[in-house]
């Protein structure tokens, strides 16, 4: 499957938004407290497993195998879901996915839906598409509810409202909740239990009257057609079991071959995301049937929308495709020094942090200012790779995408191999790389340059001019040695190896 996605808003490049974010003291305090707490708990949870490294490698191998044979497993999944009473729809891009969902909701005659937290529907802009069609969509995940009430955007994969503190949430509930349904108590405080109770009462009336639900899925089992959702609150299970019609929008990379494969991910995902040995709610459903019809729990009608939206184009990139292994645990965000200071909104995508910096430019292309800047939203420290439960080498992909931004070159777009032009604003970087290549290809010129630099070391400036000025705004130039390594080696050891 190939295709384009909806036109994205014109987000400014990452540096422009990040520059403002780092000046927000409240935002930085909220992010620092939350990310440090989660990552410390995760480290303790992971340390409990002596075979964590083997689980990590098993997850990587399972994902790589599935991606290599994705066509076969998707067809197997379709057959299994259909045999279980469900209906499978294929969406080439965001526009088609939204059109399918809007049509399915309209066919029920309903004008509102409840939603389980779903990054795929955020990616497609489904809520906006439903609103344009006169259909109200209510988020039921607590953090997503906070974001929706604030008319805000998520800033974290696991904790979308991580950028807000308890006082802000209390004020938001007091001022906005009545406009969406049951109002918050007048004397609502900022105690987490009070806030959770206000949300529970607000959402309960929606659960009890909703006839249609929209969800995503953490995993899809090709062997059985089973959908799997992991969550911590139980709100997702209310959405998945009470409504008559369930529509699940899921990225095609979420498929796993067999039910047994879940053994690996049900160990690694909870520990990497919420730092729990297992998540409180793991909901699985397989189409519809006697146990999931009118007389039992679960939907009497189930629709699965398989979303491409740039994923097969990403799959065509041998280096970049590893980003499709992602199981959305958010561990990389919680250890990233850039995310901790800039926050999620700076990434201009539903996928923030290190994984967003490699996934969004591949799904959307590098033609926009924001997507061309995302591969540079990293120090390349490697912390993200160390904590990734499926061993995505994010620094490797970042460097790969930087080369694409600077040099252009062949990429796959809508299933067609094309050559893209270098992104605007990288002329100096491109010239520097060409000069470096020329110099490194001629050892004699390199040796002469090193000797000249050593003799002129007293003239070393404190700051670089021109494009190099930004680099030396925050760091000092290294001292220049009195002699090059080559000359030192020759003097000390002669021609000996």
């Amino acid at each position: 499957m190939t295709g384009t996605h909806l036109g994205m808003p014109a987000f400014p490049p990452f540096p422009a938004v990040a520059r403002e974010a780092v000046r927000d003291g409240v935002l930085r305090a909220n992010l620092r407290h939350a990310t440090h707490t989660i990552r410390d708990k995760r480290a303790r949870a992971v340390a409990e497993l002596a075979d964590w490294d083997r689980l990590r490698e098993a997850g990587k191998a399972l994902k790589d195998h599935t991606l290599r044979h994705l066509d076969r497993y998707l067809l197997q999944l379709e057959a299994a879901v259909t045999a279980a009473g469900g209906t499978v729809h294929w969406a080439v891009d965001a526009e088609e996915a939204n059109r399918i969902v809007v049509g399915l909701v309209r066919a029920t005659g309903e004008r509102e839906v409840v939603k389980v937290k779903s990054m795929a529907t955020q990616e497609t802009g489904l809520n906006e598409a439903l609103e344009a069609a006169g259909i109200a969509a209510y988020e039921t995940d607590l953090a997503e509810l906070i974001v929706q009430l604030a008319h805000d955007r998520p800033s974290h994969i696991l904790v979308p409202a991580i950028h807000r503190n308890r006082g802000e949430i209390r004020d938001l509930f007091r001022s906005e909740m009545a406009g969406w349904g049951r109002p918050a108590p007048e004397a609502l405080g900022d105690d987490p239990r009070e806030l959770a109770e206000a949300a529970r009462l607000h959402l309960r009336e929606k659960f009890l009257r909703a006839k249609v639900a929209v969800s995503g899925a953490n995993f899809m089992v090709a062997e059985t057609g089973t959908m799997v959702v992991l969550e911590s609150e139980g709100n997702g299970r209310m959405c998945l079991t009470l409504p008559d019609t369930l529509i699940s929008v899921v990225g095609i990379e979420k498929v796993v071959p067999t039910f047994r494969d879940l053994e690996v991910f049900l160990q690694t995902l909870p520990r990497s995301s919420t730092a729990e040995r297992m998540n409180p709610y793991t909901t699985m459903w397989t189409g519809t049937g006697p146990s999931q019809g009118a007389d039992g729990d679960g939907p009497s009608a189930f629709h699965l929308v398989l979303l491409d939206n740039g994923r097969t184009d990403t799959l065509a990139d041998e280096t970049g495709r590893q980003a499709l292994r992602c199981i959305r645990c958010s561990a990389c965000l919680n250890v990233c020094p850039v995310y901790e200071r800039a926050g999620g909104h700076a990434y201009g995508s539903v996928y923030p942090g290190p994984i967003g910096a490699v996934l969004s430019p591949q799904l959307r292309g590098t033609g926009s200012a924001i997507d061309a800047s995302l591969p540079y939203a990293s120090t390349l420290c490697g912390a993200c790779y160390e904590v990734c439960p499926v061993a995505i080498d994010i620094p490797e992909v970042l460097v790969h995408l930087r080369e694409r931004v600077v040099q252009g070159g062949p990429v796959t777009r809508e299933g067609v191999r094309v050559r893209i032009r270098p992104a605007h604003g990288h002329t100096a970087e491109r010239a520097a790389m060409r000069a470096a290549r020329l110099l490194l290809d001629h050892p004699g010129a390199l040796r002469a340059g090193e000797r000249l630099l050593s003799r002129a070391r007293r003239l070393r400036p404190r700051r670089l001019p021109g494009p190099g000025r930004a680099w030396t705004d925050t760091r000092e130039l290294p001292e220049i040695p009195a002699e090059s390594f080559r000359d030192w080696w020759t003097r000390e050891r002669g021609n000996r190896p």
Side-chain angles (χ1 to χ4, degrees), residues 244-289:
D244 297 329
T245 300
L246 174 60
I247 305 166
S248 297
V249 183
V250 190
I252 57 175
E253 82 281 14
K254 296 294 187 70
V255 67
V256 296
T258 71
F259 199 85
R260 184 176 180 178
D261 297 331
L262 294 175
E263 176 191 2
V264 172
F265 300 114
L266 293 183
Q267 293 184 76
T268 56
L269 180 52
R271 290 176 187 267
S272 290
S273 56
T274 55
E276 296 168 300
R277 295 182 179 95
M278 66 178 292
N279 54 291
Y281 295 91
T282 300
T283 304
M284 302 185 186
W285 71 98
T286 307
T288 60

Side-chain angles (χ1 to χ4, degrees), residues 178-245:
W180 292 77
R182 180 176 179 136
E186 292 184 6
L188 180 66
D190 64 359
D191 182 84
R193 289 171 295 185
E194 290 186 60
L195 296 172
E197 178 66 7
R200 187 186 74 83
L201 294 173
H202 176 81
L203 292 170
R204 183 56 56 94
E205 66 175 18
K206 292 180 169 50
F207 289 137
L208 294 178
R209 73 166 184 257
K211 300 299 182 183
V212 182
V214 175
S215 84
N218 293 96
F219 305 102
M220 305 180 291
V221 182
E223 177 184 50
T224 60
T226 302
M227 304 289 115
V228 186
V229 167
L230 281 66
E231 47 141 350
S232 299
E233 300 168 6
N235 294 339
R237 182 163 295 179
M238 299 285 276
C239 288
L240 299 168
T241 56
L242 290 178
D244 297 329
T245 300

Side-chain angles (χ1 to χ4, degrees), residues 350-395:
V350 65
Y351 305 111
I355 188 61
V358 296
L359 188 57
S360 298
Q362 295 191 88
L363 295 180
R364 303 188 305 206
T366 54
S368 67
I370 179 62
D371 288 313
S373 70
L374 285 179
Y376 295 87
S378 171
T379 63
L380 300 180
C381 67
C384 49
Y385 171 66
E386 294 299 324
V387 299
C388 179
V390 285
I392 302 171
D393 193 342
I394 292 177

Side-chain angles (χ1 to χ4, degrees), residues 77-90 104 224-227 244-248 285-290 292 299-305:
L77 174 71
E78 179 184 33
V81 170
T82 303
T87 303
V88 176
H89 309 263
W90 299 82
L104 291 172
T224 60
T226 302
M227 304 289 115
D244 297 329
T245 300
L246 174 60
I247 305 166
S248 297
W285 71 98
T286 307
T288 60
Q292 289 182 266
S300 55
F302 171 60
H303 297 270
L304 172 60
V305 181

Side-chain angles (χ1 to χ4, degrees), residues 32-224:
R32 181 170 57 251
H33 172 73
T35 56
H36 283 232
T37 299
I38 296 171
R39 78 189 190 197
D40 290 345
K41 288 175 62 180
R42 176 205 169 274
R44 291 192 295 271
V46 167
E48 293 178 350
L49 295 182
D51 63 344
W52 177 260
D53 287 343
R54 283 179 288 171
L55 282 170
R56 186 176 187 242
E57 285 302 309
K60 172 186 175 181
L62 280 169
K63 280 290 188 176
D64 282 346
H65 166 80
T66 308
L67 291 171
R68 283 196 300 271
H69 304 283
L70 189 58
D71 53 346
R72 172 160 59 91
Y73 288 121
L74 288 173
L75 292 176
Q76 184 182 7
L77 174 71
E78 179 184 33
V81 170
T82 303
T87 303
V88 176
H89 309 263
W90 299 82
V92 72
D93 54 24
E95 185 174 8
E96 185 173 13
N98 291 344
R99 186 169 61 249
I100 290 169
V101 176
V102 168
L104 291 172
V105 177
R106 280 178 169 165
T108 68
E110 297 295 321
R111 308 305 294 175
E112 65 178 27
V113 301
V114 289
K115 289 186 65 199
V116 188
K117 179 182 176 184
S118 166
M119 301 196 77
T121 59
Q122 292 169 4
E123 177 187 329
T124 66
L126 177 62
N127 284 11
E128 292 78 8
L130 289 171
E131 182 180 5
I135 300 167
Y138 299 112
E139 298 289 351
T140 63
D141 175 84
L142 178 55
E144 292 287 354
L145 171 65
I146 293 167
V147 170
Q148 187 175 46
L149 291 175
H151 306 282
D152 200 354
R153 292 184 292 118
S155 63
H156 192 275
I157 289 175
L158 179 68
V159 194
I162 196 173
H163 54 292
R164 295 188 179 273
N165 58 38
R166 290 184 296 174
E168 292 175 306
I169 295 169
R170 175 204 59 209
D171 296 341
L172 187 63
F173 280 10
R174 285 176 175 176
S175 63
E176 299 294 329
M177 200 170 260
W180 292 77
R182 180 176 179 136
E186 292 184 6
L188 180 66
D190 64 359
D191 182 84
R193 289 171 295 185
E194 290 186 60
L195 296 172
E197 178 66 7
R200 187 186 74 83
L201 294 173
H202 176 81
L203 292 170
R204 183 56 56 94
E205 66 175 18
K206 292 180 169 50
F207 289 137
L208 294 178
R209 73 166 184 257
K211 300 299 182 183
V212 182
V214 175
S215 84
N218 293 96
F219 305 102
M220 305 180 291
V221 182
E223 177 184 50
T224 60

